[in-house]
mmCIF file of all heavy atoms in Angstrom:
data_model
loop_
_atom_site.group_PDB
_atom_site.id
_atom_site.type_symbol
_atom_site.label_atom_id
_atom_site.label_comp_id
_atom_site.label_asym_id
_atom_site.label_seq_id
_atom_site.Cartn_x
_atom_site.Cartn_y
_atom_site.Cartn_z
ATOM 1 N N SER A 1 108.255 98.286 96.597
ATOM 2 C CA SER A 1 109.144 99.385 96.248
ATOM 3 C C SER A 1 109.557 99.231 94.793
ATOM 4 O O SER A 1 110.017 98.175 94.379
ATOM 5 C CB SER A 1 110.381 99.399 97.138
ATOM 6 O OG SER A 1 111.271 100.430 96.758
ATOM 7 N N GLY A 2 109.399 100.306 94.047
ATOM 8 C CA GLY A 2 109.801 100.260 92.648
ATOM 9 C C GLY A 2 109.059 99.235 91.838
ATOM 10 O O GLY A 2 109.581 98.714 90.849
ATOM 11 N N GLY A 3 107.836 98.937 92.217
ATOM 12 C CA GLY A 3 107.051 97.954 91.491
ATOM 13 C C GLY A 3 107.450 96.526 91.773
ATOM 14 O O GLY A 3 106.939 95.599 91.140
ATOM 15 N N THR A 4 108.337 96.297 92.724
ATOM 16 C CA THR A 4 108.812 94.955 93.035
ATOM 17 C C THR A 4 108.403 94.587 94.446
ATOM 18 O O THR A 4 108.814 95.221 95.420
ATOM 19 C CB THR A 4 110.337 94.870 92.910
ATOM 20 O OG1 THR A 4 110.725 95.239 91.591
ATOM 21 C CG2 THR A 4 110.816 93.462 93.197
ATOM 22 N N ASP A 5 107.589 93.570 94.580
ATOM 23 C CA ASP A 5 107.204 93.105 95.896
ATOM 24 C C ASP A 5 108.351 92.320 96.521
ATOM 25 O O ASP A 5 108.970 91.478 95.856
ATOM 26 C CB ASP A 5 105.968 92.205 95.818
ATOM 27 C CG ASP A 5 104.710 92.983 95.551
ATOM 28 O OD1 ASP A 5 104.488 93.969 96.243
ATOM 29 O OD2 ASP A 5 103.952 92.603 94.648
ATOM 30 N N PRO A 6 108.631 92.526 97.773
ATOM 31 C CA PRO A 6 109.691 91.732 98.403
ATOM 32 C C PRO A 6 109.315 90.262 98.469
ATOM 33 O O PRO A 6 108.170 89.903 98.703
ATOM 34 C CB PRO A 6 109.796 92.349 99.801
ATOM 35 C CG PRO A 6 108.516 93.057 100.015
ATOM 36 C CD PRO A 6 108.039 93.505 98.673
ATOM 37 N N HIS A 7 110.280 89.431 98.236
ATOM 38 C CA HIS A 7 110.057 87.989 98.244
ATOM 39 C C HIS A 7 109.813 87.454 99.647
ATOM 40 O O HIS A 7 109.013 86.547 99.843
ATOM 41 C CB HIS A 7 111.262 87.289 97.617
ATOM 42 C CG HIS A 7 111.298 85.810 97.819
ATOM 43 N ND1 HIS A 7 110.412 84.956 97.215
ATOM 44 C CD2 HIS A 7 112.108 85.028 98.585
ATOM 45 C CE1 HIS A 7 110.674 83.718 97.598
ATOM 46 N NE2 HIS A 7 111.697 83.742 98.415
ATOM 47 N N CYS A 8 110.473 88.006 100.622
ATOM 48 C CA CYS A 8 110.434 87.481 101.981
ATOM 49 C C CYS A 8 109.431 88.271 102.834
ATOM 50 O O CYS A 8 109.380 89.491 102.765
ATOM 51 C CB CYS A 8 111.825 87.540 102.605
ATOM 52 S SG CYS A 8 113.092 86.628 101.642
ATOM 53 N N ASP A 9 108.666 87.570 103.662
ATOM 54 C CA ASP A 9 107.623 88.219 104.442
ATOM 55 C C ASP A 9 108.149 88.667 105.806
ATOM 56 O O ASP A 9 109.368 88.768 106.015
ATOM 57 C CB ASP A 9 106.417 87.290 104.589
ATOM 58 C CG ASP A 9 106.761 85.974 105.286
ATOM 59 O OD1 ASP A 9 107.954 85.741 105.592
ATOM 60 O OD2 ASP A 9 105.839 85.168 105.539
ATOM 61 N N ASN A 10 107.217 88.942 106.741
ATOM 62 C CA ASN A 10 107.576 89.484 108.038
ATOM 63 C C ASN A 10 108.228 88.420 108.915
ATOM 64 O O ASN A 10 107.775 87.272 108.981
ATOM 65 C CB ASN A 10 106.327 90.047 108.731
ATOM 66 C CG ASN A 10 106.673 91.030 109.824
ATOM 67 O OD1 ASN A 10 107.385 90.688 110.756
ATOM 68 N ND2 ASN A 10 106.170 92.243 109.733
ATOM 69 N N ILE A 11 109.271 88.825 109.606
ATOM 70 C CA ILE A 11 110.062 87.906 110.409
ATOM 71 C C ILE A 11 109.282 87.329 111.583
ATOM 72 O O ILE A 11 109.582 86.220 112.055
ATOM 73 C CB ILE A 11 111.347 88.615 110.907
ATOM 74 C CG1 ILE A 11 112.375 87.591 111.382
ATOM 75 C CG2 ILE A 11 111.014 89.642 111.991
ATOM 76 C CD1 ILE A 11 113.731 88.227 111.695
ATOM 77 N N SER A 12 108.260 88.053 112.079
ATOM 78 C CA SER A 12 107.553 87.617 113.286
ATOM 79 C C SER A 12 106.931 86.236 113.149
ATOM 80 O O SER A 12 106.803 85.509 114.132
ATOM 81 C CB SER A 12 106.474 88.637 113.661
ATOM 82 O OG SER A 12 107.043 89.823 114.150
ATOM 83 N N SER A 13 106.532 85.868 111.934
ATOM 84 C CA SER A 13 105.890 84.574 111.734
ATOM 85 C C SER A 13 106.884 83.428 111.657
ATOM 86 O O SER A 13 106.472 82.267 111.506
ATOM 87 C CB SER A 13 105.033 84.600 110.463
ATOM 88 O OG SER A 13 105.826 84.878 109.321
ATOM 89 N N HIS A 14 108.181 83.719 111.780
ATOM 90 C CA HIS A 14 109.198 82.683 111.624
ATOM 91 C C HIS A 14 109.944 82.338 112.908
ATOM 92 O O HIS A 14 110.857 81.531 112.889
ATOM 93 C CB HIS A 14 110.183 83.082 110.527
ATOM 94 C CG HIS A 14 109.556 83.148 109.166
ATOM 95 N ND1 HIS A 14 109.430 82.048 108.344
ATOM 96 C CD2 HIS A 14 108.983 84.181 108.507
ATOM 97 C CE1 HIS A 14 108.817 82.412 107.229
ATOM 98 N NE2 HIS A 14 108.540 83.702 107.296
ATOM 99 N N PHE A 15 109.530 82.968 114.021
ATOM 100 C CA PHE A 15 110.082 82.540 115.303
ATOM 101 C C PHE A 15 109.441 81.222 115.715
ATOM 102 O O PHE A 15 108.279 80.961 115.397
ATOM 103 C CB PHE A 15 109.853 83.606 116.378
ATOM 104 C CG PHE A 15 110.666 84.855 116.189
ATOM 105 C CD1 PHE A 15 110.060 86.056 115.869
ATOM 106 C CD2 PHE A 15 112.038 84.826 116.335
ATOM 107 C CE1 PHE A 15 110.810 87.207 115.694
ATOM 108 C CE2 PHE A 15 112.797 85.975 116.155
ATOM 109 C CZ PHE A 15 112.185 87.168 115.839
ATOM 110 N N GLU A 16 110.185 80.405 116.447
ATOM 111 C CA GLU A 16 109.682 79.095 116.831
ATOM 112 C C GLU A 16 108.641 79.170 117.938
ATOM 113 O O GLU A 16 107.752 78.323 118.017
ATOM 114 C CB GLU A 16 110.840 78.192 117.274
ATOM 115 C CG GLU A 16 111.793 77.798 116.140
ATOM 116 C CD GLU A 16 112.849 76.819 116.596
ATOM 117 O OE1 GLU A 16 112.879 76.514 117.812
ATOM 118 O OE2 GLU A 16 113.646 76.348 115.752
ATOM 119 N N THR A 17 108.726 80.157 118.817
ATOM 120 C CA THR A 17 107.816 80.234 119.963
ATOM 121 C C THR A 17 107.120 81.597 120.014
ATOM 122 O O THR A 17 107.613 82.593 119.483
ATOM 123 C CB THR A 17 108.565 80.012 121.286
ATOM 124 O OG1 THR A 17 109.451 81.124 121.533
ATOM 125 C CG2 THR A 17 109.374 78.723 121.234
ATOM 126 N N ASP A 18 105.955 81.617 120.684
ATOM 127 C CA ASP A 18 105.242 82.872 120.899
ATOM 128 C C ASP A 18 106.055 83.826 121.766
ATOM 129 O O ASP A 18 106.006 85.042 121.579
ATOM 130 C CB ASP A 18 103.893 82.602 121.555
ATOM 131 C CG ASP A 18 102.914 81.903 120.628
ATOM 132 O OD1 ASP A 18 103.146 81.894 119.394
ATOM 133 O OD2 ASP A 18 101.919 81.330 121.141
ATOM 134 N N ALA A 19 106.796 83.280 122.723
ATOM 135 C CA ALA A 19 107.607 84.117 123.608
ATOM 136 C C ALA A 19 108.666 84.872 122.816
ATOM 137 O O ALA A 19 108.929 86.055 123.069
ATOM 138 C CB ALA A 19 108.257 83.270 124.699
ATOM 139 N N GLN A 20 109.290 84.221 121.842
ATOM 140 C CA GLN A 20 110.283 84.884 120.994
ATOM 141 C C GLN A 20 109.636 86.018 120.195
ATOM 142 O O GLN A 20 110.173 87.127 120.125
ATOM 143 C CB GLN A 20 110.926 83.885 120.037
ATOM 144 C CG GLN A 20 111.849 82.876 120.696
ATOM 145 C CD GLN A 20 112.324 81.824 119.699
ATOM 146 O OE1 GLN A 20 111.560 81.358 118.838
ATOM 147 N NE2 GLN A 20 113.585 81.432 119.801
ATOM 148 N N ARG A 21 108.495 85.722 119.610
ATOM 149 C CA ARG A 21 107.806 86.734 118.804
ATOM 150 C C ARG A 21 107.376 87.918 119.669
ATOM 151 O O ARG A 21 107.560 89.080 119.286
ATOM 152 C CB ARG A 21 106.579 86.122 118.129
ATOM 153 C CG ARG A 21 105.867 87.104 117.185
ATOM 154 C CD ARG A 21 104.537 86.578 116.692
ATOM 155 N NE ARG A 21 103.577 86.422 117.782
ATOM 156 C CZ ARG A 21 103.185 85.281 118.253
ATOM 157 N NH1 ARG A 21 103.626 84.131 117.737
ATOM 158 N NH2 ARG A 21 102.325 85.227 119.253
ATOM 159 N N ASP A 22 106.808 87.632 120.848
ATOM 160 C CA ASP A 22 106.342 88.706 121.717
ATOM 161 C C ASP A 22 107.503 89.594 122.173
ATOM 162 O O ASP A 22 107.374 90.827 122.247
ATOM 163 C CB ASP A 22 105.607 88.131 122.931
ATOM 164 C CG ASP A 22 104.295 87.440 122.550
ATOM 165 O OD1 ASP A 22 103.813 87.669 121.419
ATOM 166 O OD2 ASP A 22 103.759 86.679 123.376
ATOM 167 N N THR A 23 108.624 88.986 122.495
ATOM 168 C CA THR A 23 109.794 89.753 122.920
ATOM 169 C C THR A 23 110.298 90.639 121.784
ATOM 170 O O THR A 23 110.583 91.822 121.982
ATOM 171 C CB THR A 23 110.912 88.819 123.399
ATOM 172 O OG1 THR A 23 110.463 88.074 124.536
ATOM 173 C CG2 THR A 23 112.157 89.607 123.785
ATOM 174 N N PHE A 24 110.411 90.071 120.598
ATOM 175 C CA PHE A 24 110.870 90.840 119.443
ATOM 176 C C PHE A 24 109.952 92.022 119.159
ATOM 177 O O PHE A 24 110.416 93.146 118.950
ATOM 178 C CB PHE A 24 110.969 89.940 118.213
ATOM 179 C CG PHE A 24 111.295 90.688 116.947
ATOM 180 C CD1 PHE A 24 112.594 91.065 116.662
ATOM 181 C CD2 PHE A 24 110.294 91.030 116.048
ATOM 182 C CE1 PHE A 24 112.895 91.771 115.500
ATOM 183 C CE2 PHE A 24 110.580 91.729 114.890
ATOM 184 C CZ PHE A 24 111.884 92.097 114.615
ATOM 185 N N GLU A 25 108.639 91.786 119.152
ATOM 186 C CA GLU A 25 107.697 92.854 118.836
ATOM 187 C C GLU A 25 107.650 93.918 119.930
ATOM 188 O O GLU A 25 107.442 95.098 119.637
ATOM 189 C CB GLU A 25 106.302 92.264 118.591
ATOM 190 C CG GLU A 25 106.244 91.424 117.317
ATOM 191 C CD GLU A 25 104.873 90.849 117.034
ATOM 192 O OE1 GLU A 25 104.000 90.913 117.937
ATOM 193 O OE2 GLU A 25 104.667 90.318 115.916
ATOM 194 N N ALA A 26 107.858 93.522 121.179
ATOM 195 C CA ALA A 26 107.910 94.506 122.261
ATOM 196 C C ALA A 26 109.105 95.436 122.095
ATOM 197 O O ALA A 26 109.047 96.619 122.452
ATOM 198 C CB ALA A 26 107.980 93.801 123.617
ATOM 199 N N ILE A 27 110.199 94.920 121.540
ATOM 200 C CA ILE A 27 111.389 95.736 121.307
ATOM 201 C C ILE A 27 111.225 96.607 120.065
ATOM 202 O O ILE A 27 111.534 97.799 120.066
ATOM 203 C CB ILE A 27 112.634 94.845 121.162
ATOM 204 C CG1 ILE A 27 112.878 94.048 122.448
ATOM 205 C CG2 ILE A 27 113.867 95.672 120.810
ATOM 206 C CD1 ILE A 27 113.915 92.942 122.287
ATOM 207 N N MET A 28 110.720 96.036 118.986
ATOM 208 C CA MET A 28 110.702 96.699 117.689
ATOM 209 C C MET A 28 109.525 97.637 117.487
ATOM 210 O O MET A 28 109.675 98.731 116.933
ATOM 211 C CB MET A 28 110.697 95.652 116.572
ATOM 212 C CG MET A 28 110.588 96.213 115.136
ATOM 213 S SD MET A 28 112.008 97.255 114.676
ATOM 214 C CE MET A 28 113.200 95.978 114.274
ATOM 215 N N ASN A 29 108.327 97.259 117.930
ATOM 216 C CA ASN A 29 107.126 97.953 117.480
ATOM 217 C C ASN A 29 106.936 99.375 118.017
ATOM 218 O O ASN A 29 106.701 100.302 117.236
ATOM 219 C CB ASN A 29 105.897 97.104 117.785
ATOM 220 C CG ASN A 29 105.833 95.854 116.918
ATOM 221 O OD1 ASN A 29 106.785 95.523 116.207
ATOM 222 N ND2 ASN A 29 104.723 95.137 116.984
ATOM 223 N N PRO A 30 106.970 99.612 119.340
ATOM 224 C CA PRO A 30 106.651 100.969 119.810
ATOM 225 C C PRO A 30 107.518 102.081 119.233
ATOM 226 O O PRO A 30 106.983 103.153 118.930
ATOM 227 C CB PRO A 30 106.809 100.845 121.340
ATOM 228 C CG PRO A 30 106.529 99.412 121.624
ATOM 229 C CD PRO A 30 107.122 98.669 120.475
ATOM 230 N N PRO A 31 108.823 101.900 119.060
ATOM 231 C CA PRO A 31 109.603 103.016 118.506
ATOM 232 C C PRO A 31 109.440 103.211 117.002
ATOM 233 O O PRO A 31 109.938 104.202 116.465
ATOM 234 C CB PRO A 31 111.062 102.625 118.831
ATOM 235 C CG PRO A 31 111.004 101.468 119.735
ATOM 236 C CD PRO A 31 109.713 100.786 119.483
ATOM 237 N N ASN A 32 108.764 102.308 116.319
ATOM 238 C CA ASN A 32 108.753 102.347 114.853
ATOM 239 C C ASN A 32 107.353 102.284 114.244
ATOM 240 O O ASN A 32 107.211 101.969 113.071
ATOM 241 C CB ASN A 32 109.578 101.174 114.312
ATOM 242 C CG ASN A 32 111.033 101.237 114.716
ATOM 243 O OD1 ASN A 32 111.804 102.031 114.209
ATOM 244 N ND2 ASN A 32 111.421 100.391 115.656
ATOM 245 N N TYR A 33 106.322 102.598 115.006
ATOM 246 C CA TYR A 33 104.968 102.388 114.508
ATOM 247 C C TYR A 33 104.535 103.446 113.492
ATOM 248 O O TYR A 33 103.552 103.255 112.792
ATOM 249 C CB TYR A 33 103.979 102.326 115.678
ATOM 250 C CG TYR A 33 103.756 103.652 116.388
ATOM 251 C CD1 TYR A 33 102.703 104.489 116.031
ATOM 252 C CD2 TYR A 33 104.584 104.049 117.424
ATOM 253 C CE1 TYR A 33 102.503 105.697 116.679
ATOM 254 C CE2 TYR A 33 104.400 105.251 118.073
ATOM 255 C CZ TYR A 33 103.350 106.073 117.702
ATOM 256 O OH TYR A 33 103.156 107.267 118.341
ATOM 257 N N LEU A 34 105.223 104.579 113.424
ATOM 258 C CA LEU A 34 104.925 105.618 112.447
ATOM 259 C C LEU A 34 106.232 106.149 111.858
ATOM 260 O O LEU A 34 107.279 106.063 112.488
ATOM 261 C CB LEU A 34 104.161 106.791 113.074
ATOM 262 C CG LEU A 34 102.690 106.612 113.429
ATOM 263 C CD1 LEU A 34 102.182 107.818 114.196
ATOM 264 C CD2 LEU A 34 101.848 106.389 112.177
ATOM 265 N N SER A 35 106.140 106.708 110.695
ATOM 266 C CA SER A 35 107.306 107.349 110.100
ATOM 267 C C SER A 35 106.840 108.543 109.278
ATOM 268 O O SER A 35 105.747 108.545 108.721
ATOM 269 C CB SER A 35 108.079 106.363 109.223
ATOM 270 O OG SER A 35 109.250 106.957 108.689
ATOM 271 N N LYS A 36 107.699 109.567 109.256
ATOM 272 C CA LYS A 36 107.375 110.786 108.511
ATOM 273 C C LYS A 36 106.040 111.358 109.002
ATOM 274 O O LYS A 36 105.044 111.461 108.274
ATOM 275 C CB LYS A 36 107.346 110.523 107.014
ATOM 276 C CG LYS A 36 108.594 109.824 106.482
ATOM 277 C CD LYS A 36 109.842 110.663 106.736
ATOM 278 C CE LYS A 36 111.087 110.021 106.096
ATOM 279 N NZ LYS A 36 111.536 108.806 106.793
ATOM 280 N N ALA A 37 106.043 111.744 110.280
ATOM 281 C CA ALA A 37 104.820 112.164 110.961
ATOM 282 C C ALA A 37 104.863 113.647 111.307
ATOM 283 O O ALA A 37 105.927 114.223 111.561
ATOM 284 C CB ALA A 37 104.595 111.337 112.232
ATOM 285 N N LEU A 38 103.684 114.263 111.339
ATOM 286 C CA LEU A 38 103.518 115.680 111.645
ATOM 287 C C LEU A 38 102.891 115.831 113.024
ATOM 288 O O LEU A 38 101.870 115.200 113.328
ATOM 289 C CB LEU A 38 102.619 116.344 110.591
ATOM 290 C CG LEU A 38 103.176 116.348 109.157
ATOM 291 C CD1 LEU A 38 102.046 116.324 108.144
ATOM 292 C CD2 LEU A 38 104.060 117.565 108.937
ATOM 293 N N TRP A 39 103.482 116.701 113.860
ATOM 294 C CA TRP A 39 103.028 116.898 115.227
ATOM 295 C C TRP A 39 102.926 118.384 115.558
ATOM 296 O O TRP A 39 103.685 119.205 115.038
ATOM 297 C CB TRP A 39 103.985 116.244 116.223
ATOM 298 C CG TRP A 39 104.221 114.788 116.023
ATOM 299 C CD1 TRP A 39 105.116 114.218 115.162
ATOM 300 C CD2 TRP A 39 103.583 113.705 116.704
ATOM 301 N NE1 TRP A 39 105.070 112.849 115.276
ATOM 302 C CE2 TRP A 39 104.134 112.508 116.202
ATOM 303 C CE3 TRP A 39 102.598 113.630 117.685
ATOM 304 C CZ2 TRP A 39 103.731 111.252 116.657
ATOM 305 C CZ3 TRP A 39 102.195 112.386 118.136
ATOM 306 C CH2 TRP A 39 102.760 111.219 117.622
ATOM 307 N N LEU A 40 102.010 118.706 116.467
ATOM 308 C CA LEU A 40 101.871 120.044 117.025
ATOM 309 C C LEU A 40 102.204 120.000 118.514
ATOM 310 O O LEU A 40 102.052 118.964 119.161
ATOM 311 C CB LEU A 40 100.448 120.573 116.836
ATOM 312 C CG LEU A 40 100.014 120.882 115.397
ATOM 313 C CD1 LEU A 40 98.502 121.054 115.334
ATOM 314 C CD2 LEU A 40 100.724 122.119 114.880
ATOM 315 N N PRO A 41 102.635 121.136 119.100
ATOM 316 C CA PRO A 41 102.990 121.143 120.517
ATOM 317 C C PRO A 41 101.802 120.827 121.413
ATOM 318 O O PRO A 41 100.641 121.041 121.028
ATOM 319 C CB PRO A 41 103.477 122.585 120.752
ATOM 320 C CG PRO A 41 103.794 123.124 119.416
ATOM 321 C CD PRO A 41 102.881 122.439 118.452
ATOM 322 N N PRO A 42 102.068 120.309 122.611
ATOM 323 C CA PRO A 42 100.984 120.096 123.572
ATOM 324 C C PRO A 42 100.259 121.399 123.855
ATOM 325 O O PRO A 42 100.868 122.468 123.924
ATOM 326 C CB PRO A 42 101.721 119.599 124.818
ATOM 327 C CG PRO A 42 103.017 119.067 124.322
ATOM 328 C CD PRO A 42 103.376 119.895 123.140
ATOM 329 N N GLY A 43 98.942 121.317 124.018
ATOM 330 C CA GLY A 43 98.154 122.505 124.307
ATOM 331 C C GLY A 43 97.596 123.195 123.084
ATOM 332 O O GLY A 43 96.812 124.145 123.213
ATOM 333 N N THR A 44 97.975 122.755 121.881
ATOM 334 C CA THR A 44 97.393 123.326 120.674
ATOM 335 C C THR A 44 95.917 122.942 120.611
ATOM 336 O O THR A 44 95.574 121.769 120.754
ATOM 337 C CB THR A 44 98.118 122.819 119.417
ATOM 338 O OG1 THR A 44 99.515 123.121 119.507
ATOM 339 C CG2 THR A 44 97.533 123.458 118.171
ATOM 340 N N PRO A 45 94.997 123.904 120.414
ATOM 341 C CA PRO A 45 93.565 123.581 120.389
ATOM 342 C C PRO A 45 93.208 122.550 119.327
ATOM 343 O O PRO A 45 93.811 122.501 118.249
ATOM 344 C CB PRO A 45 92.910 124.943 120.092
ATOM 345 C CG PRO A 45 93.894 125.954 120.581
ATOM 346 C CD PRO A 45 95.245 125.358 120.317
ATOM 347 N N ASP A 46 92.198 121.744 119.644
ATOM 348 C CA ASP A 46 91.781 120.682 118.739
ATOM 349 C C ASP A 46 91.320 121.224 117.386
ATOM 350 O O ASP A 46 91.594 120.609 116.348
ATOM 351 C CB ASP A 46 90.647 119.863 119.362
ATOM 352 C CG ASP A 46 91.121 118.946 120.484
ATOM 353 O OD1 ASP A 46 92.331 118.665 120.558
ATOM 354 O OD2 ASP A 46 90.273 118.517 121.299
ATOM 355 N N ASN A 47 90.593 122.353 117.391
ATOM 356 C CA ASN A 47 90.061 122.841 116.120
ATOM 357 C C ASN A 47 91.178 123.248 115.155
ATOM 358 O O ASN A 47 91.052 123.064 113.938
ATOM 359 C CB ASN A 47 89.085 123.998 116.337
ATOM 360 C CG ASN A 47 89.675 125.145 117.149
ATOM 361 O OD1 ASN A 47 90.850 125.148 117.515
ATOM 362 N ND2 ASN A 47 88.836 126.131 117.448
#
């Protein structure tokens, strides 16, 4: 952002156990996998 890379990396690699990481990602990932997205209503033709 603004030409400045963040110093600190992703938190997932800093949990002590795989169970902690898996639990965190199960909570965080599905609701946040996209942002600023465009959608059409169900039934809109593919073309």
